[in-house]
Amino acid sequence: MADSKMGSAHSRGKLEINPRGSKRPADNGPPSSPGSNPSDYVEDFVCNEDDLQENEMKAFDMPDGAGKVLVVKQKGKISAVGSKCTHYGAPLIKGVLGEGRVRCPWHGACFNVTTGDIEDFPGLDSLPCFDVSIEAGKVKVKAHKEALKSSKTVKTMTSPCGKDSRSFVVIGAGAAGACAVETLRQEGFTGKIVMITSERALPYDRIKLSKMLDVEVSKLQLRDESFYKEHGIEVRTGTSVKSIDSKGKKVILNDGSEINYTRLLVASGSKANTATQPGSDLQNIFSLRTIEDANAIHKVLSKESNVVIVGASFIGMEAAAYCVGKVNSVTVVGRGSVPFQPILGEKVGARILQLFEEKGVKFRMGCDVTSFGGEGKVNEVKLSSGEVLPADVVVLGIGAQPSTAFLQGTDIEMQRGAVVVNKFMESSIPDIFAAGDVAYAPVFAADDRPASIGHWQLAHYHGRIAARNMAGSRAELKSVPFFWTMVFGVGVRYAGYGAGFEDIVITGDLSAMSFIAHYCVGDVVTAVATVGSDPAAAKFAELLAMKKTLSKEDVQKNGKAWVDSPLL
């Protein structure tokens, strides 16, 4: 859980770098630190020492509207950190307190309650931590005003050193790659870092694309260019990898040039599946993977457009929701009987289908596309049922495959197109690691059963563990999958690994969109999906992280009582 090496990340009285690369005072330096200004700080008695019970957290307002602090008591020690998740600003007081960390109620990110360091994801930033003292039985907190306002900080990162001849290369600039290059510097690696991406953009928040097709890449960037320059991280955009010479330790690029590496991280993500039916080469048939894809789709949409979405899972359903109200019609074509059927099951999928139908989306389920018609541009989609749908724009959400073609010809062990790795993210070839969508990795929440899982949160975590091991640690992967979607203002959260579930127990009110679906294998709940039931998904994720189990029998007897029961 808590990472003993992370405590050094908060250096008092120094300058730290904010997420966009500008410098600001360290959040927790005392007024006596060199260069600090007492007026930049605020302090106050927030509560009595006895007001906090063991394993309890409370949020308190600091004076003059400076902001809130989250105060936690564990193992008799009281600590204070920022009160908002650094990902999307969720109030952590509504989250879940685990062993040494607090988990965000919205998307499952975890933060060390003593150091503020991020330990699970999504997001890249840590929480600021504040000085706590006990005076006459009262708890006093002293905090930097700017840190209170932002409620986020970047962990201290080392600088490259000319004496360090090592070169670490990261292929891919998605969540795994972006997290890895930062972690390398945070872990003290002073050699050369090169991150290669075929996209022309710096790392960005890819999961927003299907929800915001018209978004500008500058609004999605995880870090700006100055951040990478500040920390000596070379980012090669618009650069494709042709092959790997694992014996000579070289990455060969499509232009014929080579990059030598000491250690290599393969984090190249996934490649969207494309249509193969007759007519699939017509214009206005799109896959959705990159910012260019999203913007291209948005550009051809109009009030007169008839849009056909092929695929009824996350990409397809989110794109369908985006199009509602902007086009003439939206029709979703799916193979299953309801959307999300393999993941969420029949009943939950049917309720989501109903939600979409209430918004005007039409469905053609239980069928395939046989061909696309049109002259130059698509104008119709033919289905296996014999029906022909008018279609001015087609968006494909038919899954993805690991982007690993450049590994062909190597001796690296693969499984279903993904790189087989162990608990340390190591491949079968020394000094080559893999993370994210391309990694066929043990899943801690499923008793280390290996799988390739395309989750944004998990990719971050993979990248962190891989980088720590590349830098010389022996950090084990302890993954608990957590993902989510947001459609028409309804948030669905999913925690665990429910592949192959045998039964589903639903508590709450499915019709009112306030429920928890428990996915069971035998008598064990292996995953939950929740709507309007925060922090149930976060609670279940932390339960799995602590190697605890929830039984099907308990849910059947006591409903959602487990959500309110003590975790510690």
Side-chain angles (χ1 to χ4, degrees):
M1 294 295 179
D3 187 343
S4 60
K5 294 185 67 176
M6 297 301 184
S8 61
H10 295 270
S11 299
R12 299 192 174 201
K14 294 182 180 180
L15 289 177
E16 295 184 351
I17 310 299
N18 75 11
R20 294 298 178 185
S22 60
K23 293 183 177 180
R24 63 173 175 77
D27 52 275
N28 59 350
S32 59
S33 297
S36 63
N37 187 335
S39 64
D40 292 337
Y41 292 79
V42 62
E43 60 182 346
D44 193 25
F45 291 103
V46 296
C47 66
N48 293 321
E49 185 177 9
D50 294 340
D51 291 338
L52 286 169
Q53 302 301 312
E54 180 68 13
N55 294 321
E56 185 178 22
M57 59 181 181
K58 291 184 177 181
F60 297 100
D61 290 309
M62 295 298 283
D64 304 321
K68 289 181 179 290
V69 294
L70 185 72
V71 180
V72 181
K73 184 176 183 180
Q74 280 200 329
K75 296 182 179 179
K77 180 181 178 180
I78 296 176
S79 56
V81 294
S83 66
K84 295 182 293 184
C85 178
T86 62
H87 182 224
Y88 284 165
L92 293 176
I93 188 62
K94 295 184 180 295
V96 177
L97 182 62
E99 292 182 345
R101 66 185 192 177
V102 58
R103 185 181 289 269
C104 170
W106 292 356
H107 306 123
C110 296
F111 304 90
N112 188 293
V113 297
T114 301
T115 66
D117 293 335
I118 189 167
E119 295 185 347
D120 204 340
F121 303 85
L124 294 171
D125 300 313
S126 295
L127 297 174
C129 60
F130 307 118
D131 285 342
V132 175
S133 58
I134 309 297
E135 299 180 15
K138 294 184 177 181
V139 179
K140 178 188 280 188
V141 176
K142 177 179 63 183
H144 194 281
K145 293 178 181 177
E146 188 176 338
L148 273 173
K149 183 179 179 180
S150 68
S151 199
K152 62 176 61 178
T153 186
V154 178
K155 293 167 60 177
T156 297
M157 301 169 72
T158 58
S159 298
C161 172
K163 296 181 180 180
D164 192 338
S165 61
R166 294 174 296 169
S167 178
F168 286 3
V169 175
V170 176
I171 301 174
C179 192
V181 295
E182 292 193 26
T183 301
L184 286 172
R185 289 288 185 237
Q186 291 162 2
E187 289 289 302
F189 177 70
T190 56
K192 183 178 181 180
I193 299 176
V194 181
M195 180 164 57
I196 303 169
T197 173
S198 59
E199 294 195 56
R200 292 189 290 272
L202 294 173
Y204 60 89
D205 194 347
R206 188 184 306 278
I207 62 170
K208 288 186 177 180
L209 294 180
S210 52
K211 307 174 184 72
M212 305 166 61
L213 299 177
D214 59 339
V215 70
E216 298 176 9
V217 69
S218 60
K219 295 181 180 179
L220 296 183
Q221 283 182 351
L222 303 178
R223 306 292 194 201
D224 63 17
E225 187 176 1
S226 65
F227 179 91
Y228 295 106
K229 288 182 177 179
E230 177 79 25
H231 299 296
I233 299 169
E234 180 183 347
V235 185
R236 297 196 184 186
T237 59
T239 303
S240 297
V241 175
K242 180 180 180 180
S243 60
I244 301 296
D245 177 1
S246 59
K247 294 181 180 178
K249 289 195 169 184
K250 296 178 181 179
V251 175
I252 297 89
L253 306 179
N254 273 359
D255 63 6
S257 62
E258 299 177 349
I259 304 176
N260 295 318
Y261 69 83
T262 307
R263 284 186 166 175
L264 173 68
L265 175 62
V266 178
S268 45
S270 296
K271 182 178 180 180
N273 291 334
T274 56
T276 58
Q277 297 93 332
S280 59
D281 58 344
L282 292 169
Q283 293 182 36
N284 289 1
I285 298 177
F286 300 92
S287 296
L288 178 50
R289 175 69 185 174
T290 68
I291 184 71
E292 288 85 1
D293 296 334
N295 290 171
I297 296 169
H298 175 76
K299 187 176 180 179
V300 299
L301 296 178
S302 71
K303 284 290 186 180
E304 292 74 36
S305 298
N306 295 304
V307 178
V308 174
I309 308 290
V310 183
S313 195
F314 293 94
I315 296 295
M317 296 296 283
E318 289 172 357
Y322 173 84
C323 290
V324 169
K326 301 179 180 68
V327 299
N328 181 54
S329 69
V330 180
T331 305
V332 175
V333 178
R335 291 180 175 178
S337 60
V338 295
F340 304 113
Q341 184 177 7
I343 302 170
L344 301 182
E346 187 82 24
K347 291 183 179 180
V348 175
R351 181 62 185 91
I352 293 174
L353 183 147
Q354 180 186 350
L355 170 67
F356 274 72
E357 287 183 331
E358 291 168 354
K359 301 295 183 179
V361 177
K362 301 173 185 177
F363 286 87
R364 298 294 185 270
M365 301 302 295
C367 60
D368 285 317
V369 173
T370 57
S371 66
F372 302 94
E375 295 292 332
K377 294 182 179 180
V378 68
N379 62 22
E380 65 180 25
V381 175
K382 296 181 181 179
L383 305 181
S384 56
S385 63
E387 185 179 5
V388 178
L389 302 175
D392 304 295
V393 180
V394 175
V395 179
L396 305 174
I398 52 177
Q401 299 296 322
S403 183
T404 53
F406 59 89
L407 294 176
Q408 293 179 2
T410 69
D411 294 328
I412 195 166
E413 185 181 356
M414 309 283 286
Q415 182 68 242
R416 301 175 186 173
V419 180
V420 176
V421 297
N422 60 18
K423 291 182 180 181
F424 306 104
M425 310 308 295
E426 298 165 325
S427 76
S428 59
I429 297 179
D431 296 323
I432 295 182
F433 299 72
D437 296 7
V438 300
Y440 189 74
V443 181
F444 180 78
D447 296 324
D448 287 331
R449 182 168 21 137
S452 179
I453 301 175
H455 292 173
W456 185 247
Q457 164 264 340
L458 194 58
H460 279 85
Y461 184 60
H462 276 187
R464 175 178 183 262
I465 297 299
R468 291 189 61 200
N469 287 303
M470 291 172 72
S473 296
R474 292 301 283 174
E476 290 191 10
L477 185 68
K478 295 183 178 180
S479 51
V480 179
F482 194 112
F483 63 88
W484 62 93
T485 186
M486 177 69 74
V487 289
F488 303 117
V490 176
V492 181
R493 316 198 197 288
Y494 184 103
Y497 186 63
F501 64 86
E502 300 168 349
D503 193 13
I504 306 174
V505 179
I506 298 177
T507 60
D509 192 337
L510 184 62
S511 62
M513 281 296 202
S514 179
F515 65 89
I516 304 172
H518 305 76
Y519 300 89
C520 307
V521 175
D523 188 48
V524 177
V525 179
T526 58
V528 299
T530 75
V531 175
S533 302
D534 290 342
K539 178 72 173 286
F540 186 75
E542 196 60 22
L543 184 148
L544 293 179
M546 297 171 64
K547 272 297 182 183
K548 296 185 177 182
T549 58
L550 175 65
S551 71
K552 173 182 174 181
E553 181 182 10
D554 182 46
V555 174
Q556 290 173 326
K557 287 183 177 180
N558 304 308
K560 58 174 291 186
W562 65 270
V563 181
D564 300 318
S565 63
L567 185 61
L568 299 170

